[in-house]
Amino acid sequence: MAVTLYGDKSLSDDRPTVQVTAVSWPGEDEQAGKSAGSGRGPGSWSRRARVLLAGVLAAVVLAGVGGAAAWAYAGDVPRGTTVLGAELGGRSRTEAARELRTELDRRSATLNAPFTVLVGEKEAQLTPAEVGLAVDVDATVAAAAEAEAGPTGRLFGSREVKPVVTVDAARLDAKLREIVGKQGREMTMPAIIFTGTTPKPVYPKPSLALDPERSTEVVRDGWLAGQPVTVPLVEKHPATTREEVDQLVTELARPAVAAPVTLSTDKGKVTIPPAAIARGLRFSADDAGKLTPRVDVKRLRAALGDRLAAIEVAPKDAGLTIAGGKPKVVPGRAGKQVDSAALGRDLLAVLPKSDGRTVTATLKTAEPELTEAKLAELGIKERVSTFSTRFPGGLSSPRSQNIIQAAKDVDGTIVEPGKTFSLNGHTGERGYDQGYKDAPVILGGKLVPGVGGGVSQFTTTLFNASYYAGLEDVEHKPHSYYFSRYPAVIESTIFWPDLDFKFRNNTPYGVLIDTSYTSNTITVSMWSTKIYDSVKTEYGPRRNITQPKTVYLEPGPKCIAAVGSEGFTQDAFRVIKKDGKVVKREKFTWTYDAEPKFICGPEPS
């Protein structure tokens, strides 16, 4: 008997069906002929027996096929499926997950062991746990359940499914960056800068760095291979080429400053000189290194100084003044100014030209940035801190005049929530034209005359007012030597342009800086809405005390004598309380050098 099995793909359960081919025995035709006239001859019984036998055989085959199919389709995961050598086939997802976890536990020593990574020319070891490398059991079992059957079908096929590996991309990138070290290089962004009115090109250079996405991919794929994983360093080129930078210099930067531009309005004309154009013309590269020219109208206005006053009326911000112990609103006013957006666009269009260098502009109403309505929303209603320091010499000394000038420059400043105040940024360079005078400054370890000397005392006073208001310290640097007129550690110097003092308004309310002075004191107060119960300073003891040396200097007008002071190290803790509890305790530490005792005269023999 011949029995043929066929797979019928149309059946919903994908089980094979049975087709029975006709069966014949030798001599059957003869027996059939002899029995043709009778229904009960010997041939008739033989035929019945054979039909019965065929039925039995078919039933046996069907039962076997059904059993095989039931075996092949048992469980969620196809038979013959393995992961990391663990047989998951024929199991439910829960059983397969349990089996895979058992295999991972068995391999835990290997899976948790450090593995080698090669980054450029450096080799290092990474521990899987420190970069979040792990096998995702549930995702792996899901992938195994969905794996396609092999060429012999679900009944006899076999397949190895790769485990699904997870990794913390951010932690991996941080670790790989440590390994890279000095092998990598930052992208040099293209730029064009002006020295006076001469444009200088800065040519782009590609970066050599990790590609976090690629790094994650190769580490995830190579972790379980048992071999060192090579992580590539990738070159990335800026979008603007060297040739395109040269083209911008030739076609825009040089022509831009070759001649002045006339700004024409219905109120008159203003000449924009090449120096002002150079100050306002900016070439900025985005993150991809695409260099784009634009006119920074704010810088252009600063370069033009008072020239625009002939045709414009500047808006005035609303402000606050302290009267009767309370903040009082000083109304602002609108102005009439050249439309900045239109001016930047139209000026950029004429700068490449050698003639026709005229821009026609219209004056439009310019509202103040800080209106009375916005000011009312800032919540400036009470004094939250105040601090005073004493200065010698009275108001007539140059040093005292510098302190008062800085106080006047800052008085009435409003720092909005989230904004950072910079003293250098607010006053600009402090020179003779700004009202500052020569007075002693520390330079090269000794006191010498310098314009703006004494502003450090105002800086210290301002720093302490912000400190006791609980505002965020962004940048400050104490003096090299200790001066008894300042609180130790909690003080700050300043020097244009290298040393600055900055604080950030980290509250939801505006902050008003109010300054005042007497003949021998300078006071800075901060007005806002009170947040904290108290802000105090706790000092640690002075340590590492050093004694001053005596230094003899050549006498003359530039020699400034000093009595000297001890050097020491000290800690100061800012303790901030709210609702009766300490919510912040910040440590400030500084080491003072011993200030030499300077004597203007020859050293005794």
Side-chain angles (χ1 to χ4, degrees):
M1 179 181 71
V3 179
T4 305
L5 302 181
Y6 295 93
D8 185 353
K9 299 299 182 181
S10 66
L11 295 180
S12 60
D13 61 359
D14 199 28
R15 291 184 172 84
T17 59
V18 177
Q19 177 175 321
V20 181
T21 305
V23 181
S24 63
W25 278 263
E28 181 182 35
D29 293 339
E30 293 87 345
Q31 291 294 333
K34 292 177 181 179
S35 305
S38 171
R40 299 180 59 87
S44 174
W45 284 108
S46 297
R47 188 180 303 110
R48 290 175 184 172
R50 289 194 293 270
V51 171
L52 179 60
L53 177 60
V56 171
L57 289 173
V60 170
V61 169
L62 285 171
V65 169
W71 178 86
Y73 281 85
D76 298 318
V77 181
R79 292 283 181 181
T81 302
T82 59
V83 175
L84 294 176
E87 175 63 59
L88 305 187
R91 303 176 188 272
S92 68
R93 294 194 182 212
T94 301
E95 293 169 339
R98 186 182 305 116
E99 181 67 20
L100 181 54
R101 288 192 177 92
T102 300
E103 179 63 25
L104 294 176
D105 289 342
R106 189 180 70 79
R107 294 175 176 238
S108 61
T110 302
L111 293 175
N112 295 328
F115 63 99
T116 302
V117 291
L118 303 173
V119 186
E121 297 180 354
K122 288 193 176 182
E123 179 179 307
Q125 298 288 304
L126 285 183
T127 302
E130 68 183 343
V131 294
L133 273 170
V135 174
D136 187 329
V137 172
D138 292 336
T140 301
V141 169
E146 297 169 1
E148 294 184 1
T152 54
R154 184 165 179 135
L155 185 58
F156 301 111
S158 63
R159 62 207 61 81
E160 173 70 20
V161 174
K162 290 177 62 176
V164 177
V165 175
T166 59
V167 62
D168 188 320
R171 285 160 58 190
L172 174 63
D173 187 57
K175 285 291 181 183
L176 293 176
R177 286 179 184 275
E178 293 177 11
I179 300 170
V180 171
K182 295 182 179 179
Q183 295 182 97
R185 63 174 180 268
E186 295 291 329
M187 183 184 292
T188 299
M189 291 298 191
I192 300 172
I193 57 177
F194 283 92
T195 302
T197 56
T198 302
K200 302 287 187 182
V202 176
Y203 293 115
K205 292 180 182 177
S207 63
L208 182 65
L210 296 164
D211 180 339
E213 187 174 338
R214 178 64 177 148
S215 300
T216 300
E217 179 184 349
V218 297
V219 170
R220 189 170 51 213
D221 291 346
W223 168 43
L224 299 174
Q227 300 293 327
V229 178
T230 300
V231 179
L233 290 174
V234 181
E235 268 199 352
K236 185 177 181 181
H237 290 261
T240 299
T241 65
R242 181 188 183 98
E243 291 74 22
E244 289 170 329
V245 172
D246 284 336
Q247 184 178 0
L248 280 170
V249 170
T250 302
E251 297 180 0
L252 177 57
R254 285 199 189 110
V257 293
V261 171
T262 300
L263 175 63
S264 178
T265 72
D266 57 3
K267 294 291 185 180
K269 295 181 179 181
V270 171
T271 298
I272 305 176
I277 295 171
R279 181 85 181 275
L281 181 57
R282 313 292 287 169
F283 293 84
S284 304
D286 61 16
D287 291 342
K290 178 65 177 177
L291 191 62
T292 304
R294 65 183 179 87
V295 173
D296 186 331
V297 178
K298 187 174 182 179
R299 289 172 62 93
L300 179 67
R301 285 184 177 279
L304 288 172
D306 296 333
R307 291 172 184 256
L308 290 174
I311 59 172
E312 290 185 333
V313 176
K316 180 183 177 182
D317 284 344
L320 291 170
T321 187
I322 305 301
K326 293 183 179 180
K328 180 181 178 182
V329 174
V330 178
R333 67 162 186 266
K336 282 283 188 179
Q337 288 187 317
V338 172
D339 183 351
S340 293
L343 176 60
R345 180 193 65 231
D346 296 343
L347 182 58
L348 190 62
V350 304
L351 290 180
K353 299 178 180 180
S354 57
D355 52 14
R357 293 170 66 91
T358 297
V359 172
T360 301
T362 57
L363 298 173
K364 56 186 298 187
T365 301
E367 297 293 339
E369 291 185 16
L370 185 59
T371 63
E372 294 174 54
K374 186 176 180 180
L375 187 60
E377 296 173 357
L378 294 180
I380 301 173
K381 62 182 183 181
E382 58 192 329
R383 190 170 68 183
V384 296
S385 71
T386 187
F387 198 83
S388 300
T389 58
R390 299 180 68 85
F391 54 82
L395 294 179
S396 62
S397 76
R399 184 178 184 279
S400 302
Q401 291 179 41
N402 289 337
I403 294 171
I404 302 307
Q405 183 62 53
K408 290 178 177 178
D409 289 344
V410 173
D411 187 43
T413 299
I414 293 174
V415 185
E416 297 183 38
K419 300 296 184 181
T420 296
F421 172 88
S422 161
L423 185 52
N424 275 344
H426 189 84
T427 66
E429 185 172 5
R430 294 171 291 275
Y432 302 121
D433 292 342
Q434 288 74 38
Y436 292 89
K437 304 179 183 303
D438 283 327
V441 297
I442 298 176
L443 196 62
K446 61 182 180 180
L447 289 170
V448 298
V451 63
V455 175
S456 287
Q457 178 157 354
F458 174 75
T459 307
T460 287
T461 312
L462 178 62
F463 170 52
N464 274 267
S466 68
Y467 172 95
Y468 285 106
L471 301 173
E472 181 183 336
D473 175 39
V474 175
E475 179 184 340
H476 85 281
K477 183 180 182 296
H479 288 80
S480 302
Y481 305 138
Y482 172 65
F483 299 100
S484 59
R485 60 180 173 268
Y486 305 145
V489 183
I490 310 303
E491 49 99 357
S492 181
T493 185
I494 195 167
F495 192 82
W496 175 273
D498 304 311
L499 298 178
D500 197 3
F501 164 60
K502 298 178 183 178
F503 72 84
R504 178 175 173 270
N505 179 6
N506 55 334
T507 77
Y509 306 103
V511 172
L512 167 68
I513 303 175
D514 176 54
T515 69
S516 60
Y517 59 92
T518 68
S519 60
N520 57 11
T521 63
I522 180 70
T523 299
V524 178
S525 299
M526 298 288 184
W527 292 73
S528 185
T529 290
K530 197 171 182 64
I531 294 176
Y532 305 115
D533 298 344
S534 65
V535 180
K536 296 182 179 180
T537 300
E538 295 179 0
Y539 279 103
R542 294 183 181 183
R543 60 187 186 276
N544 304 329
I545 297 174
T546 57
Q547 299 300 320
K549 294 185 289 187
T550 299
V551 177
Y552 293 89
L553 302 174
E554 182 179 349
K558 292 186 178 181
C559 181
I560 300 175
V563 297
S565 62
E566 289 182 336
F568 58 90
T569 300
Q570 193 169 19
D571 301 325
F573 299 87
R574 177 162 68 162
V575 182
I576 302 177
K577 288 186 177 181
K578 182 178 182 180
D579 299 328
K581 298 178 181 179
V582 175
V583 294
K584 189 177 293 185
R585 183 181 177 87
E586 294 177 286
K587 181 181 180 180
F588 295 80
T589 301
W590 189 249
T591 297
Y592 290 101
D593 297 330
E595 182 188 15
K597 180 180 180 181
F598 290 111
I599 297 176
C600 298
E603 185 175 358
S605 57

